[in-house]
């Protein structure tokens, strides 16, 4: 149950796009058509941004989008805004009903 | 309004025990998988355990299996995590979580509690 690999940091200027990768193996990310993404602001509980690779819960702006290819999933934030500055975590099933999170990526809005 | 309110965290010595509680409200507790996720200070998220709607199936991360026990009381709309044989590396904020948006194989956490801090230290 090793953590999925994410880049420690990513950044972009307001209005630009940033893409965060989440790399696993064929036993987790590559083995299931379900990856979720969470946003966490300092001192706060995480918030669900994307589920089932590409779907957005009600209330999440369509600036957030997800994709997956093979063992790597990605989260793209388009039209970066100051409030998007946060930590982002991916998550995948690693075995039946066993879950694993990514190592986390700190997104900075320059 | 969905609410998950954790309690029971605190300072405990290595080898000690603690019981965390999560009071759920604002939704039909009995139809959701529930679970716990933890976050060590300054570190990332780690899934800890999940429990099926009726409590019949339970799953744990390897590092806590045999030491932690997840349970639920559907009559009281409450989720629990019994932490035994605690180690320094168990120090973390423990979040209560509701799993939703389920496909045939997987789900996502759509609601989180505010977290309760467990500190294991002598």
């Amino acid at each position: 149950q090793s953590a999925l690999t994410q880049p420690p940091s990513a950044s972009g200027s307001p209005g630009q796009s940033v893409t965060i990768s989440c790399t696993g193996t064929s036993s987790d990310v590559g083995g299931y058509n379900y990856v979720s993404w969470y946003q966490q602001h300092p001192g706060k509980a995480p918030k669900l941004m994307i589920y089932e690779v590409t779907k957005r819960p009600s209330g999440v702006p369509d600036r957030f989008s997800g994709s997956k290819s093979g063992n790597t999933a990605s989260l793209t934030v388009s039209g970066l805004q100051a409030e998007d500055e946060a930590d982002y975590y991916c998550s995948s099933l690693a075995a039946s009903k066993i879950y694993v999170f990514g190592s986390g990526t700190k997104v900075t809005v320059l | 309004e969905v609410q998950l309110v954790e309690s029971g965290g605190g300072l405990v010595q290595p080898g000690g025990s603690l019981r965390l509680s999560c009071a759920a409200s604002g939704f039909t507790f009995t139809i959701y998988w529930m679970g716990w996720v933890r976050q060590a200070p300054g570190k990332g998220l780690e899934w800890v355990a999940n429990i099926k709607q009726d409590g019949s199936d339970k799953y744990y991360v390897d590092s806590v299996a045999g030491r932690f026990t997840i349970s639920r009381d559907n009559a009281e709309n409450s989720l629990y995590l019994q932490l035994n044989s605690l180690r320094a590396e168990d120090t973390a904020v423990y979040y209560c979580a509701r799993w939703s948006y389920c496909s045939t194989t997987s789900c996502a956490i759509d609601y989180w509690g505010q977290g309760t801090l467990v500190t294991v230290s002598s």
Side-chain angles (χ1 to χ4, degrees):
Chain A
Q1 297 164 354
S2 300
L4 306 175
T5 301
Q6 297 180 232
S9 62
S11 62
S13 299
Q16 290 187 330
S17 294
V18 65
T19 297
I20 303 165
S21 62
C22 169
T23 302
T25 69
S26 59
S27 297
D28 39 62
V29 175
Y32 304 93
N33 197 29
Y34 202 116
V35 175
S36 53
W37 289 90
Y38 302 88
Q39 176 192 66
Q40 186 180 33
H41 288 107
K44 301 293 187 181
K47 174 186 176 183
L48 179 65
M49 305 304 285
I50 296 287
Y51 67 97
E52 207 165 349
V53 179
T54 62
K55 298 178 180 179
R56 282 178 289 105
S58 174
V60 173
D62 59 7
R63 303 184 292 103
F64 291 85
S65 61
S67 63
K68 193 188 84 148
S69 177
N71 296 338
T72 298
S74 298
L75 173 72
T76 297
V77 185
S78 305
L80 266 175
Q81 299 183 5
E83 59 262 35
D84 299 333
E85 185 161 296
D87 293 326
Y88 292 83
Y89 296 91
C90 61
S91 179
S92 168
L93 200 60
S96 179
K97 302 300 189 286
I98 302 293
Y99 289 85
V100 62
F101 282 94
S103 48
T105 299
K106 181 177 180 59
V107 169
T108 301
V109 181
L110 302 171
Chain B
E1 178 193 6
V2 172
Q3 284 198 316
L4 300 171
V5 180
E6 303 96 334
S7 60
L11 175 63
V12 60
Q13 292 188 339
S17 297
L18 214 53
R19 189 195 197 203
L20 307 184
S21 300
C22 171
S25 61
F27 64 100
T28 304
F29 185 70
T30 54
I31 67 173
Y32 288 93
W33 278 81
M34 298 294 296
W36 294 92
V37 175
R38 68 183 178 181
Q39 186 170 34
K43 302 298 184 181
L45 301 173
E46 180 181 38
W47 172 78
V48 174
N50 278 359
I51 185 168
K52 195 177 178 180
Q53 291 92 333
D54 62 0
S56 60
D57 288 339
K58 306 173 185 181
Y59 299 87
Y60 302 91
V61 66
D62 285 350
S63 59
V64 310
R67 300 188 299 122
F68 291 8
T69 302
I70 189 171
S71 62
R72 63 191 295 163
D73 183 338
N74 285 345
E76 295 292 329
N77 289 346
S78 293
L79 178 72
Y80 304 100
L81 187 66
Q82 178 68 40
L83 292 66
N84 296 333
S85 303
L86 281 162
R87 306 166 181 167
E89 54 264 35
D90 295 318
T91 294
V93 172
Y94 285 73
Y95 292 102
C96 173
R98 187 183 88 167
W99 292 84
S100 186
Y101 296 114
C102 297
S103 69
T104 55
T105 58
S106 187
C107 306
I109 298 172
D110 66 341
Y111 280 95
W112 301 68
Q114 84 288 350
T116 186
L117 176 62
V118 173
T119 303
V120 184
S121 175
S122 55

